[in-house]
Amino acid sequence: MDAQEGTQQSQQLILAHKVFLLKHRDVPDIEKVRLKDEVLNTVKSNYMTPYYENLVADKVLDLDHSVLDSMRAKNEEEIKKIDEKIADAEENLGESEVREAHLAKFLYFIQIGEKEKALEQLKVTENKTVAVGQKMDLVFYSLQIGFFYMDFDLISKSIDTAKNLFEKGGDWERKNRLKVYEGLYCMSTRNFKKAANLFLDSISTFTTYELFPYDTFIFYTVLTSIISLDRVSLKQKVVDAPEILTVIGKIPHLSEFLNSLYNCQYKSFFLAFAGLTEQIKMDRCLHLHFRFYMREIRTVVYSQFLESYKSVTIEAMAKAFGVTVEFIDQELSRFIAAGKLHCKIDKVAGVLETNRPDAKNALYQVTIKQGDFLLNRIQKLSRVIDL
């Protein structure tokens, strides 16, 4: 894929994001007209015949037989040339030249969006590859295919393959790049805590520009960290992190979002969060988790507010957040019922009373339950043995 070794995002991933926006119901029609032209131009310039057919089937693009025929003819011509190079290398050249020829075919299948043939050719190229570093590069290509198609099964298998390869060797640069790939996978599959840890480990060594720009990386890092870290860790690893401070101001609303939460400026926090919602909804990796993230971040901010009080009036809390009493009452009722907040509402007095769980008592209750479960299992087993 493009930009494997550069500082630019992969053209295929840029294309995938534009296709995602074309399918998004919240994108204005006039914007979709521009996106449609850009997608078609990219598809035509890279002769992406299989991908074009998929987009036509999904009704993203309109079928143009002349365009389809010309791209198909170009694909056949290029594949024929590459096959001739492979045959020549196998007859007249060494093993490294044979591998390079097979690699070229693999990369061409990626370029034109031929997923299945690319993965078949990947296996052939892997068999011709000896060096661990080169095998790792193939895994990164495989991961990019996975993110292009959002094929989480392929991504998961590729990450496992990469980790097995690292047990045999591998340099730190590639290991650090893998952390970002795995972090993006974890975030895309709603494992925000692991994603945050992987992203934070990669802040000072980030080189994975083929996935996304550094600004986007910081955006993901802050969003995942806020709902995953405690206040002390958030201050140390995110709020005061120099790598984040140099970039966060360039991302709309993100600095206000982070700092207002940490500084307990809840009204400003809600305003900043409202500004960020559009970015989250329009993000290809986060949009499916939008409602979940909304719930989690509100749980964090409500818990932080209530942490300071044994009891507080609903009116005071509503004023702190810049919302109505009715809104806060409805919000807290849902979160309390779901077990997200440890407090109770005295509707008559208009007061919230916190009832933080005792950690030792909770551990004691869990031990009792597990002990009862174990005794029941032993009794059932003893009856079977007696028979």
Side-chain angles (χ1 to χ4, degrees), residues 107 113 171 176 213 221 238 292 323:
L107 294 178
D171 57 85
N176 289 327
T221 303
V238 181
F292 174 82
V323 296

Side-chain angles (χ1 to χ4, degrees), residues 149-204:
Y149 292 99
M150 282 299 182
D151 184 342
F152 294 124
D153 185 51
L154 174 61
I155 295 169
S156 178
K157 288 177 181 176
S158 298
I159 290 171
D160 290 340
T161 301
K163 288 180 177 178
N164 290 333
L165 283 171
F166 279 136
E167 291 178 3
K168 302 174 185 176
D171 57 85
W172 282 106
E173 192 268 338
R174 288 187 176 94
K175 287 181 179 179
N176 289 327
R177 284 177 62 202
L178 181 64
K179 286 182 181 179
V180 180
Y181 278 89
E182 188 177 2
L184 183 60
Y185 166 71
C186 290
M187 187 186 75
S188 301
T189 53
R190 206 178 280 184
N191 188 349
F192 290 117
K193 186 172 181 63
K194 188 173 181 181
N197 291 330
L198 289 164
F199 286 153
L200 288 168
D201 283 347
S202 310
I203 280 184
S204 58

Side-chain angles (χ1 to χ4, degrees), residues 357-372:
D358 185 341
K360 286 186 178 179
N361 187 47
L363 184 61
Y364 174 75
Q365 295 296 332
V366 169
T367 305
I368 293 295
K369 285 182 180 179
Q370 290 177 343
D372 287 342

Side-chain angles (χ1 to χ4, degrees), residues 39-244:
V39 168
L40 182 59
N41 288 335
T42 302
V43 168
K44 287 164 65 177
S45 63
N46 287 288
Y47 304 101
M48 302 178 73
T49 309
Y51 193 61
Y52 177 71
E53 291 173 324
N54 291 338
L55 293 179
V56 169
D58 292 341
K59 297 182 179 179
V60 176
L61 295 179
D62 301 319
L63 177 60
D64 185 328
H65 287 287
S66 61
V67 170
L68 183 61
D69 292 341
S70 64
M71 289 196 299
R72 190 172 285 149
K74 181 66 175 178
N75 292 160
E76 291 171 358
E77 179 187 339
E78 285 297 319
I79 291 170
K80 185 179 178 182
K81 286 180 182 177
I82 295 172
D83 285 338
E84 288 173 356
K85 287 181 180 178
I86 291 173
D88 178 60
E90 288 176 342
E91 289 179 16
N92 305 311
L93 302 172
E95 291 180 358
S96 62
E97 288 80 7
V98 171
R99 179 195 175 274
E100 289 302 314
H102 279 289
L103 177 63
K105 189 173 183 180
F106 167 59
L107 294 178
Y108 186 71
F109 282 138
I110 293 178
Q111 178 189 317
I112 65 174
E114 184 68 271
K115 180 186 176 185
E116 299 307 322
K117 289 186 179 178
L119 294 176
E120 289 173 10
Q121 186 62 31
L122 171 63
K123 293 177 182 176
V124 176
T125 310
E126 281 177 340
N127 292 333
K128 306 287 182 183
T129 305
V130 177
V132 173
Q134 290 179 333
K135 285 186 175 183
M136 274 305 309
D137 290 337
L138 291 177
V139 174
F140 284 124
Y141 283 125
S142 177
L143 284 165
Q144 288 177 42
I145 294 171
F147 282 114
F148 181 67
Y149 292 99
M150 282 299 182
D151 184 342
F152 294 124
D153 185 51
L154 174 61
I155 295 169
S156 178
K157 288 177 181 176
S158 298
I159 290 171
D160 290 340
T161 301
K163 288 180 177 178
N164 290 333
L165 283 171
F166 279 136
E167 291 178 3
K168 302 174 185 176
D171 57 85
W172 282 106
E173 192 268 338
R174 288 187 176 94
K175 287 181 179 179
N176 289 327
R177 284 177 62 202
L178 181 64
K179 286 182 181 179
V180 180
Y181 278 89
E182 188 177 2
L184 183 60
Y185 166 71
C186 290
M187 187 186 75
S188 301
T189 53
R190 206 178 280 184
N191 188 349
F192 290 117
K193 186 172 181 63
K194 188 173 181 181
N197 291 330
L198 289 164
F199 286 153
L200 288 168
D201 283 347
S202 310
I203 280 184
S204 58
T205 57
F206 179 83
T207 57
T208 322
Y209 295 101
E210 70 273 12
L211 272 185
F212 36 61
Y214 192 61
D215 291 8
T216 303
F217 172 67
I218 294 299
F219 176 68
Y220 289 157
T221 303
V222 172
L223 288 187
T224 53
S225 297
I226 279 180
I227 62 172
S228 304
L229 303 181
D230 57 63
R231 273 181 63 82
V232 175
S233 300
L234 189 68
K235 173 74 169 172
Q236 182 183 7
K237 297 180 179 180
V238 181
V239 176
D240 291 340
E243 296 88 355
I244 291 177

